[in-house]
Amino acid sequence: MASESHGPVYLSTLDAYERWATVYDSDGNILQAVDDYMLGEHGLLSLFLKSVVSAHLAAEDDPRLNFIDFGAGTGRNSAKVILSPELQNIKGSKSLVLLDLSPKMLEIAKERCDGSLEALRHAHSVQSHLDFELSYHSFDALSSVASDQAINLPQARGIISTLVVEHIPLESYFARIADMLASKKCATYPKTPRTESSTTEKDTQSQWDWLLITNMHNEMGARSQAGFTDPNTGQKTRAKSYVHTPHAIIEEGRNWGFEPIELGSASMAQSSLVHHVTDKAEHTATDALFLERAITSEDLKKGLFGGISGRGRKWIGVNVWYGMIVRRRRSLSAI
């Protein structure tokens, strides 16, 4: 076993996640636990799915409801989509494409998600619930063929991308996202933010494609990065990472035609969703466009996140997570 005095080993993202796969869901990673909590109990995933379903039902040209999980990992959040109550009563076919750089991660995702779909089939007898096609693809967003691969995927109405963008430069990230959406037909979006008048236009629900993004908070990223202790060597291992602020993601997304939706009390069931390290009397308008979550001493008292281990206690008082929902018009003429 490697000596604890040695510093971390830095690997490519692929090599790191190939090694991480076997313990990814069991090594007590605090960020994954917070991601589960904010997507689930705090309703961010539910809001996203309701938005996608509303757009699909309002459209006349959507024969199948297509989702993509970009950076699916072990299928942790794909399984939530498959079993979500928001999709249980949707008639007609549905598909979910799971993409990940790591083949070993996808092997685990396939076992998990195939199992979730089988459980759904046992729980329901209505055939429309069962028409859910799953597929799994290795995908390197930075490869020379990534754009062609993405364009040839089923056109997605909704994409989930959780704890992924940390590993990708923002321009490359949004370029691949744009390739995957039905709005990819409008590949010549102007690289300038949209005007205020265009963001306040009232459009029908069917015009929108949707993207759910969560990521390591830049406050956490300034001190650490995605990594784990290799179970075979005992060595701390880290992957290539970039520190992205939520404001930077919003800004780059606008360059590609994506607009964030407000996540205030009018949109979410609980107005307490937006967490800050300190209690601030005022927040900027942009703050309502994303959620952020710090680890608090109250979390420790309540035993949240599976009980915060010694590894997680160092993050008390630090924002570790943020999330947002953005949307993009299907018609360039509407911009």
Side-chain angles (χ1 to χ4, degrees):
M1 180 176 292
S3 169
E4 293 185 359
S5 63
H6 293 172
V9 173
Y10 290 87
L11 300 177
S12 70
T13 304
L14 173 59
D15 289 341
Y17 277 89
E18 285 285 272
R19 295 189 187 187
W20 199 353
T22 57
V23 295
Y24 186 80
D25 291 323
S26 60
D27 70 347
N29 186 297
I30 189 68
L31 188 57
Q32 294 167 42
V34 173
D35 195 55
D36 285 335
Y37 182 75
M38 296 301 289
L39 290 175
E41 283 194 41
H42 274 312
L44 189 61
L45 180 61
S46 177
L47 176 61
F48 166 77
L49 291 174
K50 288 175 181 177
S51 300
V52 175
V53 168
S54 294
H56 171 70
L57 294 178
E60 298 180 354
D61 58 349
D62 267 359
R64 183 170 68 172
L65 177 54
N66 296 324
F67 289 92
I68 292 176
D69 187 346
F70 178 20
T74 60
R76 179 173 54 92
N77 290 322
S78 285
K80 295 183 181 72
V81 172
I82 294 167
L83 299 173
S84 64
E86 290 80 10
L87 299 184
Q88 295 309 298
N89 295 317
I90 301 300
K91 295 181 180 180
S93 62
K94 301 180 287 290
S95 76
L96 173 59
V97 177
L98 286 77
L99 305 176
D100 201 85
L101 179 63
S102 165
K104 288 186 178 179
M105 285 281 195
L106 282 176
E107 289 176 8
I108 298 170
K110 188 176 190 310
E111 181 177 358
R112 167 182 269 157
C113 293
D114 285 355
S116 295
L117 184 57
E118 187 62 28
L120 191 66
R121 287 172 173 158
H122 282 299
H124 298 279
S125 58
V126 180
Q127 291 301 306
S128 63
H129 294 161
L130 312 183
D131 193 4
F132 210 136
E133 179 182 338
L134 304 178
S135 60
Y136 307 84
H137 304 275
S138 295
F139 181 74
D140 181 354
L142 300 180
S143 75
S144 60
V145 297
S147 181
D148 289 339
Q149 289 177 329
I151 287 173
N152 288 322
L153 294 170
Q155 295 182 343
R157 174 64 80 169
I159 297 176
I160 64 172
S161 184
T162 54
L163 307 184
V164 173
V165 68
E166 172 193 353
H167 300 297
I168 308 174
L170 289 183
E171 184 173 3
S172 298
Y173 175 79
F174 278 104
R176 298 294 75 76
I177 290 287
D179 287 336
M180 297 173 192
L181 292 171
S183 54
K184 64 193 171 191
K185 294 176 181 177
C186 306
T188 56
Y189 274 95
K191 292 296 189 70
T192 56
R194 291 166 60 182
T195 64
E196 181 63 25
S197 61
S198 66
T199 62
T200 57
E201 288 179 346
K202 293 183 178 179
D203 303 297
T204 61
Q205 292 174 320
S206 65
Q207 288 183 325
W208 298 105
D209 291 330
W210 295 84
L211 168 63
L212 169 62
I213 302 172
T214 69
N215 195 42
M216 176 187 288
H217 200 286
N218 49 287
E219 289 185 14
M220 187 183 202
R223 307 185 188 191
S224 186
Q225 61 191 97
F228 66 106
T229 299
D230 191 316
N232 296 317
T233 66
Q235 186 74 46
K236 290 183 178 180
T237 304
R238 292 179 177 173
K240 174 68 175 178
S241 296
Y242 302 85
V243 178
H244 302 308
T245 68
H247 300 88
I249 288 181
I250 290 172
E251 180 179 358
E252 182 62 28
R254 283 174 169 155
N255 289 340
W256 293 86
F258 292 93
E259 280 295 323
I261 67 168
E262 290 190 9
L263 297 173
S265 57
S267 300
M268 307 296 291
Q270 303 176 58
S271 60
S272 60
L273 273 172
V274 180
H275 295 268
H276 295 268
V277 176
T278 59
D279 293 326
K280 299 177 181 178
E282 299 180 359
H283 304 305
T284 66
T286 307
D287 288 332
L289 303 180
F290 63 88
L291 312 179
E292 54 187 5
R293 186 58 156 87
I295 303 298
T296 69
S297 56
E298 192 66 21
D299 296 333
L300 185 61
K301 293 177 183 178
K302 293 180 178 179
L304 290 181
F305 313 130
I308 300 174
S309 65
R311 178 183 172 190
R313 288 172 187 260
K314 66 182 178 181
W315 300 114
I316 291 176
V318 177
N319 273 323
V320 299
W321 176 99
Y322 62 80
M324 66 185 72
I325 297 173
V326 301
R327 62 184 186 176
R328 188 189 198 204
R329 297 175 196 266
R330 287 199 165 192
S331 171
L332 182 58
S333 62
I335 294 181

